[in-house]
Amino acid sequence: MRLAEATAIRIYAVLQQKNLTPHDFGKYCQFSEKKLNSILNGQFRDLSVRDLHRICSALDISYDAFFNDSIFQSEIVD
């Protein structure tokens, strides 16, 4: 699995846990619609630390909590 796909799956899982929609998430993280779609579709090429900060802030989750998930413990191929 690619890192982009794992990240998208994890975002959707946290959205579901917090009863948020992708639209809500987009408002909170303030990404352009194009960038938001590429992240949620697991198609982004590069995600900066700043982007990760915006994602975790929008989800109200720590970096540790975001990445401490079995999805990131499977084989990641980029």
Side-chain angles (χ1 to χ4, degrees):
M1 177 179 301
R2 291 181 41 245
L3 181 59
E5 294 167 323
T7 301
I9 290 168
R10 181 64 176 137
I11 289 170
Y12 277 112
V14 176
L15 289 176
Q16 186 175 24
Q17 291 169 358
K18 295 185 177 274
N19 294 319
L20 294 171
T21 66
H23 179 75
D24 295 331
F25 174 66
K27 286 191 313 186
Y28 295 138
C29 61
Q30 300 179 343
F31 288 129
S32 68
E33 188 172 333
K34 182 178 178 179
K35 184 167 192 143
L36 178 65
N37 286 335
S38 73
I39 291 169
L40 293 177
N41 291 327
Q43 298 174 342
F44 65 86
R45 286 270 187 220
D46 54 348
L47 200 61
S48 69
V49 172
R50 184 177 184 186
D51 292 338
L52 287 172
H53 175 75
R54 289 168 76 177
I55 289 169
C56 289
S57 292
L59 296 173
D60 192 30
I61 191 171
S62 70
Y63 301 117
D64 288 341
F66 184 80
F67 288 107
N68 188 20
D69 186 86
S70 61
I71 193 75
F72 294 108
Q73 295 175 15
S74 61
E75 186 173 326
I76 301 289
V77 178
D78 229 61

